Amino acid sequence: MGGPRRMSSALLLPFALLSLPHTNAANATSYREEVESSLRLVHAVATGATGALCVTHRYGRLRAPLHTTRWDTARARADLAANLLHQLGLETAEVLMAVSKGLVLGASPTERAVGSRALALRSDGVVNSAVAWERYGTAEPVAVVSPQLEKPPDPEYPWYVSAHESESLRSPKFMPSSPGATMEGWWTYPYYSCGAKRWLLSYTVPVSTIRGLKGIVSLDIDISNLEINQCETDIFDENDNQIYSFHGTHKCPNETTYCEYKQSREMNVRHTGWARGSYVCRCRPGFYSIHHPEGYNGSVIEVAYQEYEENGLENWSAPYECLKCQPGCITCRGPEPCLATYNWPFRISLLVISMSCVVMTVCLTIYTRHHRRVKVFRVASPVFLSITLLGCAIMYMEMAAIFPVLDRYSCIATKWTRHMGFCITYTALLMKTWRVSLTYRVKSAHKLKLTDKQLLQWMAPILLIMLVYLCTWTLSSPPDAEVIMDNKGLKFKQCVYNWWDHSLAIGEILFLLWGVRVCYRVRHAESLYNEAKLISFAIYNIFTVNSLMIAFHLLILPQAGPDIKYLLGFIRTQLSTSTTVLLVFLPKVLRVVRGTGDTWDSRARARGAPASSSLNGIGLVPDEPPDLYQENEELKEEVQKLAAQIEYMKIVQMEKNNRHLRPRPGGYFTSNTQAPQSPMHPKTVSQDSTEYPGPV
């Protein structure tokens, strides 16, 4: 019963070639027109505008194929029914009735059909006998009017094709078969039945000629519960409850909007799922619509597109276009800006001032080098003065690094200029102050000589540590710019702060604390031109300025805009770097300008500082040729001090415990009166050693 069988070539010739590709399948324009025509039919049925259709025709066919695998059970029942008719014959009406009625019976909706029919045709195409059934819901099947006997079936039937009337080898009523499908018959395209008032899909199976009769078995599937989704779908997310032919047929402007499917049960339509425009065109990220923030109704857009096709309306999609957000906005709801604006004239003025400071620092370096033999520069170590100015120039360059819109390279330049300039400047100053501290603590008469070369050897490891740290930071985890918001919600870029910054900040704070300690220990030290005190003021200043700026950035103005942050950077640079330059170099330049650069500090000399007592505690810079006249003056001073002390000791030893000498009233050896203190008295010695650090 289930073996191979031969079918009537006259009836089945059109069916045999249904699996061939559509003649115009390669023509995308024609296919698009067919789909649009199908959508218009869907819209007419959904809105109840079926008067013209149902007056002249009983069926409205779509040219939109769909997946039929979900009804394989019903298809297999139809194939089995055709085999039964082939085995039992087509002459008896009872056989046709039993076979066709079984098709509308079933345990589940996927097994049973809502309509079925069985026809026996003569060789000339006239109906010999026919039976038809319909079923609504779960009620019992009801026999309905079947094709009239003694007449050919109506060619308008979607499930029937006459071999005598078909002009082509392939009937447009049937969908192409799926590749690799094994079935006895063919599925029709979806169609709307005006009599049943629902969307149907029919499966037709021919029965081979037997004893002069040909047969047809057909069943109808109610597909009114399917959905028309016109949005694009992923191939992995395809829903077999949707007609795939309508995917991607929405009319949303793809450049500015995207399609979002909206199930038709949320829309007041006649048949659930069968509605054109069941979607919403929402603005893409980076676009907005003021009047339609929730998106454009797809049904309205479909009507506008239909008017465009029928009347040639230009720019039909313009009212449904979303506007582009302002630069920097990922999402927006209006034309408000998302990026903070930069006040470029203001920033350029601050940059010009900073670059002018760099030029002045270079000029000051040349000026210091030119007057390096003048005493006011010579006793302050011109080498360290030049190093200090180099570090100041690098710190000024930070304003150029943070001037543009920040990116990775500008952030790298910012870290290098800020930290390397700080390390060079204040290491040079603290090395000189540390030398004073060592000299000041020496209690012997011998001078402690620390030359510039020795200090540079101590300074080199500190700079090397900073250099290695910055190189490792740049190569392993280069600082980048991150997007932050100001107090108005506007975005701008700022360099990232992470544990690299925090570790370096802690190290610099500890370094400054050590510098403050060194400066505090030499607060009473006397030096020529008062340089030790001025350097101490510079160290105190940088420590205070950095502490205040950290408080401003983290506590007072944490959400300041880019221009305010640039201003704070400028203020920090000027208060720290410019103040250091003024404290250390302005007094020296003024002395040279006034012509007193080669004159020793009279106040330091009056307090007991020798002629060569400088910031380094060893006299003139050892790299310079010695001044014999000044060395002789120093030797004379030392000899005079020693002679006075020896003479005093001799007198004391002669008069002490000498019974031949009677103490004079009020004299030094009188026991009842307060004698004047000796120059060697401990209090006197302590006071003298406090006033000046020079060698004894």
Side-chain angles (χ1 to χ4, degrees), residues 167-356:
E167 298 179 356
S168 63
L169 296 179
R170 183 189 184 283
S171 174
K173 292 183 179 181
F174 295 94
M175 294 188 297
S177 301
S178 302
T182 56
M183 53 186 180
E184 304 280 341
W186 294 268
W187 289 97
T188 65
Y189 281 101
Y191 62 91
Y192 179 74
S193 173
C194 293
K197 297 187 183 303
R198 53 188 174 183
W199 292 95
L200 299 175
L201 181 70
S202 297
Y203 179 72
T204 301
V205 185
V207 180
S208 303
T209 303
I210 179 173
R211 291 185 286 275
L213 295 176
K214 301 175 291 186
I216 294 178
V217 176
S218 175
L219 58 83
D220 301 333
I221 302 295
D222 186 4
I223 59 174
S224 299
N225 62 335
L226 296 186
E227 300 174 356
I228 295 181
N229 180 6
Q230 295 180 247
C231 298
E232 293 89 352
T233 59
D234 194 342
I235 188 173
F236 300 104
D237 297 333
E238 284 193 3
N239 188 347
D240 60 356
N241 202 47
Q242 297 177 356
I243 303 177
Y244 71 88
S245 301
F246 294 112
H247 290 169
T249 60
H250 65 87
K251 308 307 183 299
C252 297
N254 286 324
E255 294 77 11
T256 62
T257 62
Y258 68 94
C259 178
E260 181 179 297
Y261 176 58
K262 185 177 181 181
Q263 292 184 355
S264 58
R265 64 171 176 267
E266 301 176 5
M267 310 177 73
N268 190 16
V269 296
R270 186 170 182 179
H271 291 282
T272 302
W274 287 80
R276 184 185 68 175
S278 299
Y279 59 87
V280 177
C281 294
R282 301 194 184 278
C283 295
R284 291 184 179 274
F287 294 87
Y288 71 95
S289 175
I290 297 179
H291 303 293
H292 299 85
E294 301 301 325
Y296 300 96
N297 193 333
S299 58
V300 176
I301 298 179
E302 291 287 343
V303 172
Y305 181 79
Q306 184 173 345
E307 292 181 357
Y308 156 72
E309 284 194 330
E310 294 175 354
N311 304 323
L313 182 64
E314 296 182 359
N315 299 326
W316 68 273
S317 63
Y320 312 106
E321 295 274 359
C322 291
L323 303 178
K324 189 173 181 59
C325 296
Q326 294 294 325
C329 297
I330 299 177
T331 59
C332 64
R333 301 185 67 87
E336 294 80 13
C338 294
L339 295 180
T341 57
Y342 288 72
N343 191 340
W344 294 111
F346 172 73
R347 297 169 73 92
I348 291 174
S349 61
L350 298 184
L351 179 64
V352 169
I353 296 175
S354 300
M355 294 302 100
S356 300

Side-chain angles (χ1 to χ4, degrees), residues 1 47 85 104 127 134 140 196 200 241 268 283 308 311 348 353 376 395 411 476 549 571 582 601 621 627:
M1 182 174 65
T47 56
L85 290 178
V104 294
V127 177
E134 284 189 2
E140 290 295 322
L200 299 175
N241 202 47
N268 190 16
C283 295
Y308 156 72
N311 304 323
I348 291 174
I353 296 175
V376 70
M395 284 196 293
C411 286
S476 63
M549 287 299 142
I571 293 175
L582 292 177
D601 191 353
V621 181
D627 191 334

